Amino acid sequence: MSDKPVTIHDIAEMANASAATVSRVLSNSSYPVSHDMRRKIRAAAKALNYTPNMLGRQLKKNNSMTIGVIIPSITNPFYADVVLGIEEIARKHGYHVLLCNSHQNPQLEAEYLQTLLEKQVKGIIVSSISRQKDLLQPYLAKGVKIIAMDQIIDNPDVYQIGFDYRKGAYMACRYLIGQGHTRIALVTAPLNRPSRISLLNGYQDAHREAGITPLKAWFQESEDSEDISYGSAFEFTNGKLLTRKLLHMAERPTAILACNDLTAAGVINELGEYGIEVPGQISVIGFDNIELSQMLTPALTTVDLPKYEMGRFACSTLMDLLEGNEIRAKEVVLEPELIVRKSAAKLE
Amino acid sequence: MSDKPVTIHDIAEMANASAATVSRVLSNSSYPVSHDMRRKIRAAAKALNYTPNMLGRQLKKNNSMTIGVIIPSITNPFYADVVLGIEEIARKHGYHVLLCNSHQNPQLEAEYLQTLLEKQVKGIIVSSISRQKDLLQPYLAKGVKIIAMDQIIDNPDVYQIGFDYRKGAYMACRYLIGQGHTRIALVTAPLNRPSRISLLNGYQDAHREAGITPLKAWFQESEDSEDISYGSAFEFTNGKLLTRKLLHMAERPTAILACNDLTAAGVINELGEYGIEVPGQISVIGFDNIELSQMLTPALTTVDLPKYEMGRFACSTLMDLLEGNEIRAKEVVLEPELIVRKSAAKLE
DNA sequence: CTGAAAGCGCTAACAA
DNA sequence: TTGTTAGCGCTTTCAG
């Protein structure tokens, strides 16, 4: 099989043209080429079963038409949604996406960043977990455009797009309080990200506003662990573990807010194992509104975050940046929305 | 910011060396270079904050060190797992993965195939949904190595790796029959893929062997639809719809086997809405063993398919192929395993 | 051990 | 309208 691959020179020869002319027609340049020549070249290309070598073009044009996307894990449906949005926009602009799973590993994240640069990527969308502030500086210095998604990065040259986690948690708690709940627990993964801290703030704000002081013990944070890498089962298990702690307390809460739907699934599951009815005895609210949430029994009341839209928005902004268009805003915050389903109810 | 990017020539100048020598040390060639020269070049590279341009190297070496992966949708956790496995192996070999979501769209699949080739990818792992048999032929002719995953492709030049769906369904039915069930329904997405047909065969084989003839109406296949693209909600809804049909029949089944866990989730959900207890009144068994299955209530009894392993295996084989190693087998079938949880029980 | 030179496949001045 | 030429950044003979 594979002989020497066909190049524009082969086509040139066959069509009695020069490589330049071939390039002009095959790359759809606006450069004038006679109709006849065009035809001959197209025919030759087809006859030889020609496939353009983008490496050549890209090297010449210094543009790989590829963007990099770094996320913690594609196994998390939250990110799968985001990536879908990114990809859609990228495709529309003729860009490809190099997807990198950092597996919550800062080392890996740094490595990927480097490789992306070597691959001549001109733009990167990243949901970073690195706490290292200046990790991105060398890349920015080289002119790479960077969009931070979901996780804010403290750097004036980085475009930011995220959700209002505070407001989401605030809305959820307000809702519960409105339903008569005064004993609301917060079950969350470690507060090692700004988003999680905002979430806690929303929880506190809603309580303060209502003049309620929740027990310290109702705030349950799972232990910080490095290798969360593999799958959503980790979050689920967290939800179970923390719920168990809650149930072993003298003063049980009547409602539980979880930092995400996966965790909420664990909460509900554990409550089930203790024979506690949801929402009859304890109400549960999740966060994210991934598709899982409607599949649970009872269907999960949760805070929707427009994940797909965030992906689209992040990528649109990046495209604007790369194409030299005007940018709307350097910092964008997307609004959450409370999705009322069946897992939270009025306190009797 | 971004001036002219730094090249090996800049380094050569600074280190009083030639570009050739710089290349040799920076690409870790085994070519002999004096220790002193090495040091100087390394120092210069660091001083100039040099980043190699892989496009140059790859064009020269005619090897993009990238493989392509085409799957229906990353939003389906089944594929997310597979991709994780692929990526792990690719990384180990210094390869990158260009991930493409075909969205069940044969047109898109064909486009991606083309782009991958243009990007000089030398190997592709594909879970194809195209029914067009000779789609891959031109690519194979150009020497691209292709691995078909999960969905068998009828082409002797394509390496195949898949699951024994027949056996999985057979095991599930055997189990149910062993539990006293004789009225087992099969709820499935359209039989437009070989895997689904195998699944039906397994279902039939188990029945035949037990001397049971299931009602025709217990086989419920959802309607063929083109744009399933977005998310797992589609499968879930399918499960609900088909279950509803089942429940409106005079002769209800006592057990339901679903073609995948997402569908099974829909089945359980719909049964719940009808006030039917699982597994008390109707048993349910899923397929795939995605993480969702342990989060459902009741925890789903299901047929595990080693997804992650399939990804690893597919990629290992591809790496062997690309590195010119001996290949173990052209066709590999991975074994399913029944995971007994709580959603199927003895018929009282 | 080091360097000069050619060239991977393509595009873009510049000439004709 | 077409062709010639000179690279994009890198590797790799082939000479020294």
Side-chain angles (χ1 to χ4, degrees):
Chain A
M1 42 183 124
S2 60
D3 307 314
K4 280 275 149 278
V6 179
T7 74
I8 48 172
H9 294 98
D10 302 323
I11 297 177
E13 191 175 0
M14 179 163 178
N16 281 317
S18 73
T21 314
V22 173
S23 167
R24 296 200 257 259
V25 356
L26 261 29
S27 63
N28 298 312
S29 146
S30 61
Y31 207 89
V33 174
S34 76
H35 203 69
D36 209 49
M37 193 86 254
R38 280 205 133 75
R39 240 195 351 77
K40 278 202 321 202
I41 290 175
R42 289 248 159 71
K46 180 158 286 178
L48 294 174
N49 188 20
Y50 169 72
T51 304
N53 183 336
M54 287 305 164
L55 258 39
R57 169 191 305 209
Q58 288 164 2
L59 176 59
K60 177 71 186 174
K61 298 191 130 182
N62 183 28
N63 183 356
S64 69
M65 293 303 281
T66 304
I67 62 171
V69 173
I70 304 181
I71 55 172
S73 170
I74 194 57
T75 280
N76 186 327
F78 176 93
Y79 292 109
D81 262 15
V82 172
V83 168
L84 223 53
I86 292 176
E87 210 192 27
E88 186 196 317
I89 301 298
R91 250 188 69 76
K92 277 206 184 115
H93 290 252
Y95 276 77
H96 266 246
V97 173
L98 219 32
L99 188 63
C100 308
N101 293 108
S102 70
H103 294 286
Q104 315 262 35
N105 178 345
Q107 164 92 38
L108 239 183
E109 184 174 322
E111 275 178 40
Y112 271 130
L113 229 33
Q114 180 63 28
T115 325
L116 285 175
L117 202 63
E118 295 181 354
K119 289 228 168 196
Q120 302 309 109
V121 153
K122 296 285 181 280
I124 297 178
I125 299 175
V126 56
S127 182
S128 176
I129 46 80
S130 181
R131 288 142 184 172
Q132 199 186 329
K133 292 292 174 214
D134 48 352
L135 180 66
L136 300 174
Q137 205 50 59
Y139 302 96
L140 291 164
K142 296 210 181 205
V144 177
K145 308 297 182 192
I146 300 185
I147 315 258
M149 209 174 44
D150 194 36
Q151 301 302 330
I152 268 51
I153 292 178
D154 186 19
N155 188 314
D157 293 328
V158 172
Y159 288 72
Q160 313 275 353
I161 174 161
F163 301 119
D164 192 339
Y165 280 91
R166 195 207 64 80
K167 187 167 176 186
Y170 174 82
M171 286 162 55
C173 288
R174 283 269 313 211
Y175 176 77
L176 287 170
I177 292 169
Q179 301 278 51
H181 292 274
T182 55
R183 310 168 61 158
I184 304 170
L186 175 60
V187 157
T188 175
L191 298 190
N192 52 12
R193 302 187 193 175
S195 62
R196 303 253 170 78
I197 295 174
S198 302
L199 204 140
L200 174 58
N201 289 338
Y203 170 85
Q204 292 169 330
D205 289 356
H207 279 82
R208 190 175 311 117
E209 187 183 287
I212 303 172
T213 311
L215 280 194
K216 265 266 169 78
W218 289 339
F219 168 72
Q220 285 289 343
E221 176 187 10
S222 67
E223 273 166 48
D224 203 342
S225 147
E226 275 307 314
D227 85 331
I228 312 182
S229 23
Y230 284 36
S232 43
F234 181 85
E235 312 262 10
F236 179 76
T237 307
N238 258 345
K240 286 179 70 82
L241 259 38
L242 297 179
T243 301
R244 198 170 308 164
K245 281 200 199 168
L246 243 25
L247 293 180
H248 284 320
M249 296 178 20
E251 296 259 34
R252 284 188 182 176
T254 63
I256 301 177
L257 173 62
C259 68
N260 60 44
D261 289 345
L262 258 9
T263 304
V267 171
I268 290 183
N269 186 279
E270 188 70 11
L271 290 174
E273 297 207 349
Y274 276 78
I276 295 173
E277 275 186 26
V278 178
Q281 296 175 263
I282 294 187
S283 288
V284 177
I285 293 189
F287 222 100
D288 286 358
N289 191 28
I290 58 176
E291 285 180 337
L292 162 74
S293 58
Q294 50 182 306
M295 302 182 190
L296 293 176
T297 325
L300 189 65
T301 293
T302 188
V303 177
D304 175 68
L305 301 180
K307 305 160 284 297
Y308 185 70
E309 287 70 21
M310 179 167 84
R312 288 175 49 99
F313 201 101
C315 196
S316 293
T317 306
L318 186 55
M319 292 295 118
D320 284 346
L321 242 26
L322 294 179
E323 291 167 0
N325 299 335
E326 207 64 35
I327 294 300
R328 316 156 228 215
K330 192 125 196 179
E331 218 161 309
V332 173
V333 174
L334 267 27
E335 293 294 304
E337 182 187 354
L338 184 70
I339 306 289
V340 175
R341 286 199 274 251
K342 306 283 188 192
S343 66
K346 195 157 250 163
L347 188 65
E348 303 298 339
Chain B
M1 47 182 119
S2 59
D3 307 313
K4 282 273 148 283
V6 179
T7 74
I8 49 171
H9 293 97
D10 302 323
I11 296 176
E13 191 176 0
M14 181 164 176
N16 281 317
S18 72
T21 316
V22 174
S23 167
R24 297 202 254 259
V25 357
L26 260 29
S27 63
N28 298 313
S29 145
S30 61
Y31 207 87
V33 175
S34 76
H35 204 68
D36 209 46
M37 193 85 255
R38 280 206 132 75
R39 242 195 348 78
K40 278 203 317 200
I41 289 176
R42 289 248 157 71
K46 180 158 287 179
L48 294 174
N49 188 21
Y50 169 71
T51 304
N53 183 337
M54 287 304 165
L55 258 38
R57 168 191 305 207
Q58 288 165 1
L59 175 58
K60 179 70 188 175
K61 297 189 126 178
N62 183 27
N63 183 358
S64 69
M65 293 303 279
T66 304
I67 63 170
V69 174
I70 303 181
I71 55 171
S73 169
I74 193 58
T75 280
N76 186 325
F78 176 94
Y79 293 109
D81 262 15
V82 173
V83 168
L84 223 53
I86 292 176
E87 210 193 26
E88 186 195 318
I89 301 298
R91 250 189 68 75
K92 278 208 184 114
H93 290 251
Y95 276 76
H96 267 248
V97 173
L98 220 31
L99 188 62
C100 309
N101 293 109
S102 70
H103 294 286
Q104 315 260 34
N105 178 346
Q107 163 92 38
L108 239 183
E109 183 174 322
E111 275 178 39
Y112 271 129
L113 229 34
Q114 179 64 27
T115 325
L116 286 174
L117 200 64
E118 295 181 355
K119 289 227 168 197
Q120 302 308 111
V121 151
K122 297 283 181 282
I124 297 178
I125 299 175
V126 57
S127 180
S128 176
I129 47 79
S130 181
R131 288 146 183 167
Q132 199 187 330
K133 292 293 174 216
D134 48 352
L135 180 67
L136 300 174
Q137 206 49 59
Y139 302 95
L140 291 163
K142 295 209 181 208
V144 177
K145 307 298 182 191
I146 300 185
I147 315 261
M149 208 173 46
D150 193 34
Q151 301 302 330
I152 268 50
I153 292 178
D154 185 20
N155 188 315
D157 292 329
V158 173
Y159 288 72
Q160 314 274 354
I161 172 161
F163 301 120
D164 192 339
Y165 280 91
R166 196 207 64 81
K167 186 165 176 189
Y170 174 83
M171 286 163 55
C173 288
R174 283 270 312 210
Y175 176 75
L176 286 169
I177 292 169
Q179 301 278 50
H181 293 273
T182 54
R183 311 168 60 158
I184 305 171
L186 176 60
V187 157
T188 176
L191 297 190
N192 52 11
R193 303 187 192 174
S195 62
R196 303 252 171 77
I197 295 174
S198 303
L199 204 139
L200 173 59
N201 289 338
Y203 169 85
Q204 292 168 331
D205 290 356
H207 279 82
R208 189 175 312 118
E209 186 183 287
I212 304 172
T213 310
L215 281 195
K216 264 265 167 81
W218 289 339
F219 169 73
Q220 286 289 342
E221 176 187 8
S222 66
E223 272 165 49
D224 203 342
S225 147
E226 274 308 314
D227 85 332
I228 313 182
S229 22
Y230 284 34
S232 42
F234 180 85
E235 312 263 9
F236 179 75
T237 308
N238 257 346
K240 285 178 71 81
L241 259 37
L242 297 179
T243 301
R244 199 170 307 162
K245 283 200 199 168
L246 244 23
L247 293 180
H248 284 321
M249 296 178 20
E251 296 258 35
R252 285 189 181 175
T254 62
I256 301 177
L257 173 62
C259 69
N260 59 45
D261 290 344
L262 257 9
T263 303
V267 171
I268 290 183
N269 186 279
E270 189 69 11
L271 290 175
E273 297 207 349
Y274 277 77
I276 295 172
E277 275 186 26
V278 178
Q281 297 175 261
I282 294 187
S283 288
V284 178
I285 294 190
F287 222 100
D288 285 0
N289 193 27
I290 59 177
E291 285 180 336
L292 162 74
S293 59
Q294 52 183 302
M295 303 184 188
L296 294 175
T297 324
L300 190 66
T301 292
T302 189
V303 177
D304 176 68
L305 301 180
K307 305 162 283 298
Y308 185 71
E309 287 69 22
M310 180 168 81
R312 289 176 48 99
F313 201 101
C315 195
S316 293
T317 305
L318 186 54
M319 293 294 117
D320 283 347
L321 241 27
L322 294 180
E323 291 167 0
N325 299 336
E326 206 65 34
I327 293 301
R328 315 158 229 214
K330 193 126 196 179
E331 217 161 312
V332 174
V333 175
L334 267 27
E335 291 295 303
E337 182 188 353
L338 184 70
I339 306 290
V340 174
R341 287 199 275 251
K342 306 280 187 192
S343 66
K346 195 157 250 164
L347 187 66
E348 302 299 340

